[in-house]
Amino acid sequence: MTGDRFPSEIKEYTDPKSGLRIKQLTDRHVNFHMYFTDNSFDGDSNSIYFFSDRCNGRGIYNLFHMELDTGVMTQVTDEPEGVWLSTATKTRDSRYLVYWSGCRLKVMDTREKTVKVVYEDHDMLVQNFSVSSDRKRIGFIRNEDVGARQDGGPNYSGFKDKMYAIKDSRISVVNMDGTGFHDVWRDTNWLSHFQFSPDNPSIAMFCHEGPWNCVNQRIWLINMDNGHVWPCFRQGEDDCVGHEFWTRDGMIVFDNRGAGHDGTISSDRTQVFTPPSSGGRQPYFGIADKTGQVQRTVPMPFYCNHYMANPVKDEFVGDGTDDIVLIRMGTDGKPTLRVLANHNTTWLYQHSHCHPTFSWDGRKILYAADTDEGHCNLFLIEDWEQE
């Protein structure tokens, strides 16, 4: 039930590759954090919000809060149908939690202890909620429900079928109090990854979803006041782009792996990358501004599945096939890489993707790993600068 408390499950161990001390935060059931673009950390970086099925049974997730100093967990939601991955977000200070349960969009005021339904949808698939920086509006994606046949499964099965099947999609918005719902943009592509800019409540980003090698133009920017849309990084034939996110100062980071990449790492742990010496193009992540113009590219010796920047963009974290990797930007413009942890996840489902995320102060890194193909857990890295 909401408010129930659970004792700490934290245990520490020394990572065999890096020698760093790693905290395993959970040890029972399936647990994973919010999508890396949403940031599970509270504003003071001393606690997190996360998903777990520890109360409602296998596959029915609710939101929980954990104090990182003590490991004590508190149940935050008690939704019998569950809260699904990519359908929950929050404000930085965690005053407001926004989540989807059943066919309802709910806003929880954690200070006033109230929950309000602000939108219902019984026809389309609704996800990717994001709160505007002025905390007045919630933006989200609505895609045509093409049925269970294209709903996917392990290792992105059905990913391409779903991309081709969806022909009706919307970017929608509703005020935080439940008034003013409307569609801002309508498309014929599968839409995903909606994110309001962190420093401009009128600007947001979204993507055309699907295997990266099948999508002609992945990243788009939109003015949420007038519906004007423009591309971010105009793709060429040899570009395969994805996993875009906003940095704290309103820049856009994206991953470009080169032609032929579908954007995934599968559970057979393969890296589909041909080194430049063999004729392939070196992967990189790029940094663009709100006009969509690329300001910088950072070459990588291999690609990570996701990247995330610290608050000042001098360090990035990525999840390679087997390791959590710290990428430090050198004064010469070249990155240096350091293994922080051997995550050894299965990559089987979305919740088993590591999605490493910096805390708001940049001193902690949170990630998930499903090392036994069943019990996904949360892990925390701290004090890597002290080692």
Side-chain angles (χ1 to χ4, degrees):
M1 294 178 61
T2 300
D4 285 352
R5 291 165 65 86
F6 300 84
S8 173
E9 297 171 2
I10 292 178
K11 57 185 179 182
E12 294 191 31
Y13 63 92
T14 300
D15 184 83
K17 283 191 176 182
S18 70
L20 293 176
R21 295 292 291 172
I22 308 297
K23 282 186 179 179
Q24 181 175 329
L25 300 178
T26 58
D27 193 36
R28 299 179 184 89
H29 308 282
V30 177
N31 311 273
F32 52 94
H33 52 320
M34 291 181 181
Y35 198 60
F36 74 108
T37 58
D38 295 303
N39 202 328
S40 279
F41 283 97
D42 198 3
D44 63 7
S45 301
N46 291 324
S47 64
I48 60 170
Y49 287 84
F50 67 100
F51 297 87
S52 180
D53 65 355
R54 64 184 56 239
C55 291
N56 297 71
R58 186 71 177 217
I60 301 177
Y61 303 106
N62 270 285
L63 290 170
F64 292 76
H65 177 260
M66 179 190 293
E67 297 288 346
L68 294 176
D69 290 338
T70 66
V72 173
M73 296 166 280
T74 303
Q75 186 171 350
V76 177
T77 65
D78 189 14
E79 301 290 333
E81 296 179 89
V83 178
W84 300 99
L85 179 64
S86 296
T87 61
T89 191
K90 67 180 189 67
T91 54
R92 173 174 172 170
D93 64 358
S94 306
R95 169 73 185 270
Y96 298 104
L97 298 181
V98 178
Y99 59 94
W100 186 257
S101 178
C103 298
R104 296 173 178 85
L105 174 59
K106 299 185 178 183
V107 176
M108 175 183 290
D109 185 329
T110 60
R111 186 182 303 170
E112 300 296 330
K113 307 298 183 186
T114 60
V115 178
K116 182 176 183 177
V117 175
V118 298
Y119 174 69
E120 293 190 33
D121 195 316
H122 297 268
D123 300 315
M124 302 187 80
L125 298 177
V126 183
Q127 61 184 51
N128 296 137
F129 301 106
S130 182
V131 179
S132 59
S133 60
D134 60 6
R135 306 205 302 190
K136 293 181 179 180
R137 296 185 290 180
I138 304 166
F140 49 95
I141 298 293
R142 298 195 300 143
N143 285 302
E144 177 184 3
D145 187 349
V146 294
R149 184 172 58 86
Q150 282 90 17
D151 278 351
N155 293 316
Y156 280 77
S157 58
F159 196 38
K160 183 187 291 187
D161 291 339
K162 188 173 183 179
M163 182 194 76
Y164 283 111
I166 292 174
K167 304 301 181 187
D168 182 9
S169 53
R170 325 279 177 90
I171 294 175
S172 305
V173 69
V174 67
N175 293 330
M176 287 285 281
D177 63 2
T179 63
F181 167 82
H182 65 281
D183 291 330
V184 181
W185 175 257
R186 187 168 180 173
D187 208 328
T188 58
N189 293 274
W190 180 10
L191 302 182
S192 190
H193 279 215
F194 178 85
Q195 306 164 56
F196 266 114
S197 164
D199 62 352
N200 187 328
S202 296
I203 303 300
M205 173 170 56
F206 67 95
C207 80
H208 284 173
E209 186 62 282
W212 296 7
N213 54 318
C214 297
V215 174
N216 292 325
Q217 176 61 41
R218 165 82 181 198
I219 312 171
W220 298 86
L221 292 155
I222 182 170
N223 185 310
M224 294 294 287
D225 297 332
N226 59 27
H228 177 59
V229 168
W230 62 100
C232 178
F233 175 63
R234 293 173 179 266
Q235 288 180 226
E237 184 178 2
D238 293 332
D239 297 311
C240 285
V241 173
H243 288 154
E244 57 286 336
F245 66 89
W246 291 103
T247 61
R248 205 70 53 82
D249 58 354
M251 300 293 282
I252 300 155
V253 177
F254 62 90
D255 179 7
N256 191 348
R257 302 180 188 177
H261 296 272
D262 64 4
T264 68
I265 294 178
S266 66
S267 60
D268 61 7
R269 318 188 74 75
T270 55
Q271 280 270 21
V272 190
F273 169 52
T274 305
S277 59
S278 302
R281 198 180 76 178
Q282 188 165 8
Y284 68 83
F285 62 88
I287 305 175
D289 61 24
K290 290 186 183 71
T291 70
Q293 302 302 307
V294 177
Q295 303 299 312
R296 184 179 184 182
T297 60
V298 180
M300 289 287 291
F302 53 84
Y303 67 78
C304 293
N305 209 26
H306 308 84
Y307 295 99
M308 178 51 66
N310 74 353
V312 295
K313 300 200 303 288
D314 63 352
E315 289 182 337
F316 291 75
V317 64
D319 47 358
T321 306
D322 298 298
D323 302 319
I324 301 296
V325 180
L326 185 73
I327 304 151
R328 180 171 286 123
M329 310 307 295
T331 56
D332 58 358
K334 296 180 180 179
T336 58
L337 275 64
R338 174 188 175 191
V339 172
L340 296 181
N342 178 227
H343 61 70
N344 199 35
T345 197
T346 65
W347 298 109
L348 198 60
Y349 295 97
Q350 263 289 323
H351 64 244
S352 64
H353 290 194
C354 299
H355 297 141
T357 307
F358 278 104
S359 57
W360 294 104
D361 62 9
R363 300 173 65 180
K364 300 179 177 71
I365 294 171
L366 177 70
Y367 70 93
D370 180 14
T371 56
D372 63 0
E373 299 190 14
H375 297 91
C376 191
N377 285 302
L378 289 166
F379 299 82
L380 190 71
I381 307 172
E382 302 175 282
D383 302 322
W384 58 87
E385 300 292 356
Q386 308 302 318
E387 298 294 329

